[in-house]
Structure formats: structure tokens, C-alpha cells
Amino acid sequence: MALRSILGTMCLGNRAACCRFHLHPPHAPVRHASCQSRSGFKPERVAVVTKTTRYEFEQQRYRYAGLSEEDLKQLLALKGSSYSGLLERHNIHTSNVEHVVRSLEREGIEVQVVKRGAYSEEVVRWADAIISAGGDGTMLLVASKVLSKDKPVVGVNTDPERSEGHLCLPVRYTRAFPEALDKLCRGEFRWLWRQRIRLHLGGTGINPTPVDLHEQQLSLEQHSQAHRSDSQQRSGALHQSVSTPSLLPVRGLNEIFIGESLSSRSKSFKPHLNLLLHRASYYEISVEDGPWEKQKSSGLSICTGTGSKAWSYNINKLSEQAVEEVLKIGRSQAGVDVPLSPEFIERVTDQYNESLVFSPDDRRLLFSIREPIVNRVFSSSRQRGFASKVCVRSRCWDACMVVDGGTSFEFNDGAIATISTSEEDQLRTVVLEN
Amino acid sequence: MALRSILGTMCLGNRAACCRFHLHPPHAPVRHASCQSRSGFKPERVAVVTKTTRYEFEQQRYRYAGLSEEDLKQLLALKGSSYSGLLERHNIHTSNVEHVVRSLEREGIEVQVVKRGAYSEEVVRWADAIISAGGDGTMLLVASKVLSKDKPVVGVNTDPERSEGHLCLPVRYTRAFPEALDKLCRGEFRWLWRQRIRLHLGGTGINPTPVDLHEQQLSLEQHSQAHRSDSQQRSGALHQSVSTPSLLPVRGLNEIFIGESLSSRSKSFKPHLNLLLHRASYYEISVEDGPWEKQKSSGLSICTGTGSKAWSYNINKLSEQAVEEVLKIGRSQAGVDVPLSPEFIERVTDQYNESLVFSPDDRRLLFSIREPIVNRVFSSSRQRGFASKVCVRSRCWDACMVVDGGTSFEFNDGAIATISTSEEDQLRTVVLEN
């Protein structure tokens, strides 16, 4: 391992003490002598974690089904022109990754390119900084293995035409990455510490074993084995007493989503379909240690400021059509004569939807009930709200708690999840001006 | 088979011709001499289809996992008091079924009780009428095998404290079933022909094989086999030309739901979890043969009047919290001074939500986009609307079309679904005054 130079320091933004004394915390990367600005950032080692493109996925998938490459080409051709675009998107992504890698290497930075399947805690330890090369999903994956709040993570959107890239640098840097590197070096950026969610799991019958939803290696036979051993584990749990809440080794950058995953009635061939179905999730919720409230819904989302632009936004967002209808009814019920022009409707809709988004460094959580079911049996006081702490007790048959759409935990009847934030769970990211 | 008496006729409501001439259509059940009202209804043979209670399900499930009955009791005890209620619900259901069966037998009606697993087209053919003994889910199952618009179906809610029973008789008849029978006999009811949805499936790469999501018999090994044979079928499809649209042998009583079922990235142990995830569904939609519009959302629901009170309602319903917020913003933007009392908010909310429901015998369909994703790439003109015909072209990786939450069809990239109604698809049900 190369000796690390101790020339220069990495300035932690507004943490002036570190700058003044040119301290070199053991975890902070060291900069090269040529870039000695007190606030600049130039890592020695960068891991570039790349997404799996849809083209690669289709290849792997049909290879799994026993089809040859030739068959794959025919199948893709049969499906029509939309598939001919797959290769194009794949090439765009690959070329953008190469651009990023070359830009890094030109600066004398040691680069390791890892596909998502090979990304590990070891890679995180090795790297001074990690670049996510893909879309927001790739950023979530990258973040999932970074538990320290000091390890910088930077997202590059490798297919701006197809991906939103909320968590990535502005799209213009995708093909102008040297400019981004330059700004980083010269300190023309700011750090953004994004709050993340931590989870304690307690109650009865819990199984704190995480399941990686992006794991592609398991075969069907291994699925079966895993399922059977899971049942055996569960029967072993018969002899356990109520567990004390344990802190799970994951942090949510976007959100925790809780919901029923398996229909009570189905062991069908495609069990995952049950989530397409309207299987209600039953649970109890306590906000800020308040009274428990029974609820039934399509699920519960608890998000960070970062996540407030993601799934939570889509759960809560209103269409202009709905807003117009509400205003018309309100106008009529109130007996007032207010013109409702399209521009007016648009303004009201935009203001409403903008209120759903809050800052990534905000310590608060936003809980949202998806499609609440209110009837003779269940009621709900609020469909969404802010809190610093939310507790959920499962009354579900076969539910899961899913972190950032990537890791899931069983969350069945009797389990209790405590959802909160802590400053030490922040993720260190970069904000470059556009 | 007993000779059918031709005394009396079954009056088809306001179809007076049949009444006047005492005609006996071959498909109509015959009444007994004692009940000769021209509009009464008294079947000779009734099939009672019963739901599987959660208690029965848990028994079967843990037996499947290799646990003994003793282990099950311990497991249930460990999970706390909510499970002790399972047996209670089971007994309530069972006792209500017995009440219905005895009431029928006391009238000299031949009764066949079938569990949902044994319910078949043969049972439908045998019966003059079918009683669903369970909740709304059981009604959907019962309806799924009744393709004729002349076979009456009656729902009895066997657990009114736990089940909404929108499709069932008013709850008071659950323990007073002889009263219901009496009213039926005396013609103190009306027929309600509920419109249902029909589906044509065409386009490329389609697989018109339905998958029964409620099928409980498949073992994991059979799942694997089915999955492999499905892949082989798909490779066989390589050599097929574009199919002409075929009418599927199913009818939706509530709704058709279209959405992504399997994550592109996951073959994890619990693949069904992917539907808990925010996997966007990509498709194009054409309403009333209008222009195709690309969309991205959490899925698309197309429902009947019957279904407008079910999942569609929960997708579209607004909370008082959201309505209050919209009215506040509208008031502020318009610069008017309208008081927004809780009662006012409640009235506006109720009126809005009531507008989402329409009559079961209405021929129209209501399409709703669930959690539309509107961004740089995708746009959406309307979040919901009425139509007599909706076409959807899949641009999904691995999506499904789910009918009444019970039957699913593959709906992958290139497939085109045409969704409409036809009078011959109606389901004949009963409305009793409360």
C-alpha cells in the first residue's frame, strides 16, 4: 500500500478547525500537492460502481432461461423497435462510464471499476470516494454500503435521457466530468450531509436477517432452500423470548416502506404478483411516542428529505385534475364566484406538490399512508405528517419492511419497528452548481 | 336428475314478456308450487361456496413448513393475543355458514357446500344459484366462474365485524337468512346486473395462459416446473407471428390492474417483494381509440361501477388533510376570505370522494393512473376518466394484467390489451332492501 502523503488537508466544508490546523484525520483522503486549496477535494483512490443496464439484464435473464444469444436476438427483434434501443442505451451508459474513468485517471487518481454485483464493504474501505455511475437506483446501492458519514459519494447520471438522476450531479457533467473534478479540486462545491433513517426491530417473532432484493445470483433451487431454512429458523424462534429491539445494520437514504408482501391465499407460481394486488396492510402506528392507532392501507412510507422527492412524492402528489375538482366543489359549497383558469389550477397544484418536498439535511421524517382504507372498522387521523420518531407494530400476515427498495426485512404480526434519524447516519454527498 | 316442475316462472325483473306468458327459459330455475308469485325466486339447487379463514390458512401454511399442530399452537400463543382471535373469527364464519345451509335445507332446497378450492365450472352448471359465503373476495371468486348473465349469485357476509361486504347482502341477513330467502321467494327484491370487463389480448410475445393467484395446491417444485415450462413456451413463441387479439376467458367484476410484477434487477429469494417496491410501470394508453400516450406510473386500474367502490376508490380518494391544504392554497392564491371549518372541509371531501363511485349497471369503465410519474421524460394529460374502451400497450419488463386480484396474465413489452364491456358479460346479482 502506497504511503499516503500528508501534504494538505481535506477541508470539511465549514469545519474551519480542520482547515486551520491542516489536520489529517486518519479517515480523510489526502490531496496531491498540486491542489492545495484548503477547501478542495481530490481523492487518491476512487471506486466507480456501475449499474447493470437493461440490455445486460435481458442477456442474463434469457441465458438463465436457456436461450442462446441468437435466440435472444430473434426475441428482441420480434418484440419490435423498443428493444433495438436497449443496445443503444447500453452503449451510451458504457461510453459515459469510460469518460468518467478516463477523466479520473488523467488526474492521476487510482480507479477501480466495480459492477454492482461486486460492490462490497471492502471496496468502500479501499476507496477515498465512491462514484455511482448509473441512475438514482445505483446511488441507493452505493449508499447502502457506506455507513460512515465521512466517506464522500458522488453520483453521475450515465443516461440523462432516461434517468431522472435526482441524486446525481447535474446532467451537464456527465460528458464534462473533468469540469466536475476541477471544481471539486478547487473547492467550488459544497458538502451536503443527507440525513438517513435508522431502524430498530423488536417485538415478537422477528427475523432480523436482511434480504438483498438486488441479489441476482440465487437460482430457484437456492430460493427454495432459503425459504425452507427460513421456516426452520422461524420454528426455532418458537423458543425465543421477546427480543429487545436491535439496531439493524442498514440506513435508509430515501425511505422505509412497510407493507404486505404475500397474499394470505396464494402460493401461486408467481407469488410476487400478490403485491400487484390490493392486499391491505394492517398495522398500528405511534408518532412521537403518541397513542397507537390501528390502520389499514396499501402500505406506509417513512422518508427523509432526500426521499421526499422519490416514492413519497408520487404517493402524495396531486394531479391538476384532482385539484381543479376540489376547488370547483369548494367554490360551489362556499357560494363564491372565483374563476378557475388553467394557470390558476396549475399554480395551486404546484404549490401543493412543492410542499411535499423538504431538505435532505432536515432531521425530520415524513410518514405517508398509501391509499388509506377508512371504513366501519378502521379510521385514520392524518394521511401524512412530520415526526422525529415513528413506531410501527405489524398486524400483517406476511409483510416486509423495505429499505430504499433494496433490502427487506420480515415484518410480521407482533414485530415492532422504531424508525428515527441520528446525525451519525448522514451520507456525505456533493453539490456542484449547475 | 329430478324432473323440473314448470309451474311458475322466474320473473326477470322488468322483463314483463316473460312474466306475462309464464315462459320457462331452459336456463331459468323453476320454483315450487307454494311460491307462485310472478316475480319470486326459489332455486332447487344451491351451491354454497365458502372462503378459507385465516385460521385455516395458518394451519395449512405451517403444516406446509413442517410444523406440528402443537408447534402451531405455541407459535400462535407466542405471537400474542391477536392470534387467539383467529379461531374466534373462524368459528363465527363456520357458524354463519351453517346457519345459511340449514335455512336453505329447511326450504327443501338441495345444498352443496364447496370450499373455494373445490369450486369449479361443474358446480356452476349444477347449481340454479350460487351463494358466496365469505367476504367480497369470495364473491369475486364465485363470480369468476360464472360467465353466463343468467346464473344468479348472492353474497352473504359471514364475518360482518371484519369484512366490508360491499358485494354481499346487508349484514342483518347474515344471522337472519330465512328472511332473505323469504323475500326472494316473494319477489321482494330486484335483480342487479353488474357490468363486467372483457379483455382482448394481442400484440407480440403474448402468453394468454392465465395464472390463478388463489391456487393453493402448487408446491415449490411445481412452481419451478411451471416457471421452466413457461420459459420454454416463451422460446416457442419466437417462431410465432404477431397474434390476432384473442378474447380471454375471464371477466372482471371489479377491475383490471396492470403493472410491473418483477423487478428488472432481482431474482431474490422473495421475488414478490418487488411489487412492494416502486418499480415503475411503462406503457402506452389509448382511450376511445384516441392517440397513444406514453405513461409511467405505479400501475393502471380500469374498473367497473362495482369496482369503483373497491381498489379504484382507494387509489383516487382524497383525505380531508389534502382537501384542506388545497382549499387553503386556493383561498390564498385567489385572495378570497372563505372560512374553512372542519365541517366544510368534510363536506367538500365527501362530495369529491362520492364522485368517484358510479353505478354497477353503468356500461362505462373508469381508468385511473396510480401514482403517475410526471417528469422530463413522461407526461400525463388526465389522471383518470371514463371510457367505453381502453387500449394499453405494454412497455414493461415483466408485467401482469390482474383480473379482480385473482387471475393474472403476462403483459410484457409488445402486448396490447383491449379493455371494454359487453352486455352479455353481466353478472346477475340480488339487491334486498335493508
Side-chain angles (χ1 to χ4, degrees):
Chain A
M1 186 165 105
L3 275 178
R4 290 178 170 252
S5 155
I6 56 168
L7 292 172
T9 42
M10 176 171 74
C11 170
L12 302 177
N14 53 3
R15 300 186 192 190
C18 171
C19 292
R20 285 202 309 274
F21 300 116
H22 283 266
L23 293 173
H24 180 206
H27 53 263
V30 177
R31 281 183 295 106
H32 291 187
S34 60
C35 186
Q36 286 194 11
S37 159
R38 268 182 291 179
S39 58
F41 169 52
K42 192 164 180 186
E44 269 196 345
R45 297 173 173 179
V46 168
V48 177
V49 181
T50 65
K51 75 177 183 185
T52 303
T53 62
R54 184 165 168 178
Y55 176 77
E56 286 168 321
F57 171 78
E58 295 286 350
Q59 270 194 323
Q60 291 166 25
R61 176 198 208 187
Y62 287 106
R63 203 169 293 143
Y64 170 76
L67 298 185
S68 68
E69 194 67 29
E70 213 21 68
D71 285 334
L72 170 67
K73 284 182 183 160
Q74 275 193 50
L75 182 66
L76 297 188
L78 239 189
K79 294 213 173 207
S81 61
S82 65
Y83 268 80
S84 65
L86 285 194
L87 191 53
E88 187 186 353
R89 304 327 306 172
H90 172 81
N91 290 338
I92 285 170
H93 160 78
T94 310
S95 135
N96 284 332
V97 170
E98 282 167 20
H99 170 72
V100 166
V101 172
R102 277 197 307 267
S103 309
L104 292 164
E105 288 173 340
R106 247 185 257 122
E107 295 299 314
I109 295 168
E110 193 183 341
V111 182
Q112 192 185 153
V113 179
V114 291
K115 280 186 174 297
R116 64 183 293 148
Y119 179 53
S120 65
E121 283 84 7
E122 202 185 319
V123 171
V124 175
R125 277 191 298 272
W126 172 87
D128 300 328
I130 304 163
I131 289 177
S132 155
D136 290 328
T138 315
M139 266 296 276
L140 292 176
L141 168 79
V142 166
S144 71
K145 296 190 193 290
V146 177
L147 297 189
S148 154
K149 75 185 201 316
D150 298 308
K151 185 89 53 171
V153 176
V154 178
V156 176
N157 186 348
T158 57
D159 194 356
E161 277 175 49
R162 291 285 186 273
S163 178
E164 277 306 288
H166 288 301
L167 301 175
C168 301
L169 296 177
V171 300
R172 72 178 210 78
Y173 293 108
T174 297
R175 294 302 309 193
F177 198 65
E179 282 189 48
L181 283 181
D182 191 51
K183 288 188 173 178
L184 287 171
C185 184
R186 289 188 281 109
E188 281 174 31
F189 72 97
R190 60 181 180 87
W191 295 111
L192 172 62
W193 272 272
R194 295 175 180 270
Q195 288 293 339
R196 292 195 282 183
I197 294 167
R198 57 169 45 184
L199 284 174
H200 286 84
L201 197 55
T204 56
I206 63 168
N207 179 1
T209 310
V211 175
D212 184 347
L213 298 177
H214 299 292
E215 168 53 40
Q216 283 184 319
Q217 270 74 40
L218 289 184
S219 66
L220 269 181
E221 291 69 33
Q222 283 169 309
H223 295 171
S224 313
Q225 282 177 8
H227 183 78
R228 276 192 286 273
S229 74
D230 189 59
S231 301
Q232 285 159 13
Q233 251 189 310
R234 216 182 302 185
S235 58
L238 285 177
H239 309 289
Q240 288 170 15
S241 52
V242 175
S243 333
T244 48
S246 56
L247 175 62
L248 299 180
V250 293
R251 299 294 181 266
L253 176 59
N254 268 350
E255 82 281 308
I256 308 298
F257 188 84
I258 293 171
E260 277 287 0
S261 64
L262 182 66
S263 160
S264 58
R265 299 183 189 286
S266 178
K267 291 192 203 297
S268 74
F269 140 66
K270 264 192 173 177
H272 53 272
L273 284 174
N274 297 312
L275 293 181
L276 254 188
L277 314 177
H278 195 208
R279 301 296 181 223
S281 304
Y282 292 78
Y283 53 86
E284 294 169 47
I285 181 172
S286 156
V287 177
E288 306 288 25
D289 289 317
W292 288 99
E293 185 179 304
K294 274 188 166 70
Q295 289 185 358
K296 184 175 164 182
S297 73
S298 288
L300 179 62
S301 153
I302 298 152
C303 77
T304 59
T306 298
S308 68
K309 296 208 298 189
W311 194 357
S312 171
Y313 184 74
N314 281 314
I315 285 173
N316 291 309
K317 172 165 61 65
L318 288 187
S319 63
E320 285 180 22
Q321 180 185 19
V323 168
E324 178 176 28
E325 193 58 30
V326 168
L327 292 175
K328 276 182 173 169
I329 295 171
R331 174 174 68 173
S332 160
Q333 289 266 358
V336 296
D337 187 20
V338 173
L340 300 175
S341 67
E343 297 76 29
F344 179 80
I345 303 292
E346 189 182 346
R347 277 204 307 277
V348 175
T349 306
D350 286 350
Q351 188 174 332
Y352 180 91
N353 291 335
E354 278 155 23
S355 75
L356 304 169
V357 177
F358 61 110
S359 182
D361 50 22
D362 193 318
R363 284 286 306 274
R364 294 175 301 169
L365 298 169
L366 176 68
F367 65 90
S368 306
I369 302 157
R370 189 190 197 199
E371 292 161 10
I373 293 167
V374 177
N375 52 36
R376 295 181 292 118
V377 184
F378 296 93
S379 73
S380 176
S381 51
R382 272 185 306 170
Q383 188 261 333
R384 70 175 184 277
F386 285 103
S388 62
K389 178 182 176 189
V390 178
C391 294
V392 188
R393 180 189 290 143
S394 173
R395 286 296 176 219
C396 295
W397 295 48
D398 200 356
C400 291
M401 212 162 39
V402 183
V403 182
D404 288 347
T407 307
S408 83
F409 298 87
E410 275 187 29
F411 192 60
N412 298 323
D413 198 354
I416 298 176
T418 304
I419 299 143
S420 59
T421 60
S422 168
E423 219 179 278
E424 57 192 83
D425 299 332
Q426 293 165 345
L427 180 76
R428 180 179 206 167
T429 61
V430 151
V431 176
L432 279 184
E433 300 318 310
N434 199 348
Chain B
M1 187 163 106
L3 273 179
R4 287 177 173 252
S5 156
I6 54 169
L7 291 172
T9 42
M10 177 171 69
C11 170
L12 303 177
N14 54 3
R15 298 187 192 188
C18 171
C19 291
R20 287 201 309 275
F21 300 113
H22 284 267
L23 292 173
H24 179 207
H27 52 262
V30 178
R31 282 182 296 107
H32 291 185
S34 59
C35 186
Q36 285 193 12
S37 158
R38 268 181 292 181
S39 57
F41 169 51
K42 193 163 180 186
E44 269 196 346
R45 298 173 171 179
V46 169
V48 177
V49 182
T50 64
K51 74 177 183 185
T52 302
T53 63
R54 183 164 169 179
Y55 176 78
E56 286 169 320
F57 171 77
E58 294 286 350
Q59 269 196 321
Q60 291 166 25
R61 176 198 208 188
Y62 287 106
R63 204 169 292 142
Y64 169 76
L67 299 185
S68 68
E69 193 67 29
E70 216 17 71
D71 284 336
L72 171 66
K73 283 181 183 161
Q74 276 193 51
L75 182 66
L76 297 187
L78 239 189
K79 294 214 173 206
S81 63
S82 67
Y83 268 81
S84 65
L86 285 194
L87 191 53
E88 187 186 354
R89 306 326 308 171
H90 172 81
N91 292 339
I92 285 170
H93 161 78
T94 309
S95 134
N96 285 331
V97 171
E98 282 167 19
H99 171 73
V100 166
V101 172
R102 277 196 307 267
S103 308
L104 292 165
E105 289 173 338
R106 249 185 257 122
E107 295 301 311
I109 295 169
E110 192 183 342
V111 182
Q112 192 184 153
V113 179
V114 291
K115 281 188 173 297
R116 63 183 296 147
Y119 178 53
S120 65
E121 284 84 7
E122 200 184 322
V123 170
V124 175
R125 277 192 299 271
W126 172 87
D128 300 327
I130 303 162
I131 289 177
S132 155
D136 290 329
T138 315
M139 265 298 274
L140 292 176
L141 168 79
V142 166
S144 71
K145 297 192 193 292
V146 177
L147 298 188
S148 154
K149 74 184 203 311
D150 298 308
K151 185 86 55 169
V153 177
V154 178
V156 176
N157 186 349
T158 57
D159 195 356
E161 278 175 49
R162 290 285 186 274
S163 179
E164 276 306 289
H166 289 301
L167 302 176
C168 302
L169 296 177
V171 301
R172 73 180 209 78
Y173 294 108
T174 296
R175 295 300 311 192
F177 198 66
E179 281 190 50
L181 283 180
D182 191 51
K183 288 189 174 180
L184 287 172
C185 183
R186 290 189 281 111
E188 282 174 30
F189 72 97
R190 60 179 180 89
W191 294 111
L192 172 62
W193 273 272
R194 296 175 180 270
Q195 288 292 340
R196 293 195 281 182
I197 295 168
R198 57 167 47 183
L199 284 173
H200 285 85
L201 196 56
T204 56
I206 65 169
N207 180 2
T209 311
V211 175
D212 183 347
L213 300 177
H214 298 293
E215 168 52 41
Q216 283 184 318
Q217 270 74 38
L218 289 183
S219 67
L220 268 181
E221 292 68 35
Q222 283 169 308
H223 296 173
S224 311
Q225 282 178 8
H227 183 80
R228 277 191 289 272
S229 73
D230 189 59
S231 301
Q232 286 159 12
Q233 251 189 309
R234 216 183 301 186
S235 58
L238 284 176
H239 310 289
Q240 286 169 16
S241 50
V242 175
S243 334
T244 48
S246 55
L247 176 60
L248 299 181
V250 293
R251 298 294 180 266
L253 177 59
N254 268 349
E255 81 282 308
I256 308 296
F257 188 84
I258 292 171
E260 276 287 0
S261 63
L262 181 66
S263 161
S264 58
R265 298 181 189 286
S266 177
K267 290 191 203 294
S268 72
F269 141 65
K270 264 192 173 177
H272 52 272
L273 285 172
N274 296 311
L275 293 181
L276 255 187
L277 314 176
H278 194 210
R279 299 297 180 224
S281 305
Y282 293 77
Y283 53 87
E284 295 168 47
I285 182 171
S286 157
V287 176
E288 306 288 24
D289 288 317
W292 288 99
E293 186 179 304
K294 274 186 165 68
Q295 289 184 0
K296 184 175 164 183
S297 74
S298 286
L300 179 62
S301 153
I302 298 154
C303 76
T304 60
T306 298
S308 68
K309 295 206 298 187
W311 194 358
S312 171
Y313 183 73
N314 282 313
I315 285 174
N316 292 309
K317 173 164 59 66
L318 288 186
S319 63
E320 285 179 24
Q321 180 185 18
V323 168
E324 178 176 28
E325 193 59 30
V326 169
L327 292 175
K328 276 183 175 169
I329 295 172
R331 174 175 68 173
S332 161
Q333 288 267 358
V336 296
D337 188 21
V338 173
L340 300 177
S341 67
E343 297 74 31
F344 179 80
I345 303 291
E346 189 182 345
R347 276 203 309 276
V348 175
T349 306
D350 285 352
Q351 187 173 332
Y352 181 91
N353 290 334
E354 278 154 23
S355 74
L356 304 170
V357 177
F358 61 109
S359 181
D361 49 22
D362 192 319
R363 284 286 304 275
R364 295 176 299 170
L365 298 169
L366 176 66
F367 65 89
S368 307
I369 301 159
R370 189 188 197 200
E371 292 162 7
I373 293 167
V374 178
N375 54 36
R376 294 181 294 117
V377 185
F378 296 93
S379 74
S380 176
S381 50
R382 273 184 305 171
Q383 188 261 332
R384 70 175 184 278
F386 286 103
S388 62
K389 178 183 176 187
V390 178
C391 294
V392 187
R393 181 189 288 145
S394 173
R395 286 297 177 218
C396 295
W397 296 49
D398 200 356
C400 291
M401 210 162 39
V402 184
V403 182
D404 288 347
T407 308
S408 84
F409 297 88
E410 277 187 27
F411 192 60
N412 297 323
D413 198 355
I416 298 176
T418 304
I419 300 142
S420 59
T421 61
S422 169
E423 219 178 279
E424 56 191 84
D425 298 332
Q426 294 165 343
L427 180 77
R428 181 179 205 165
T429 62
V430 152
V431 176
L432 278 184
E433 302 317 313
N434 199 348

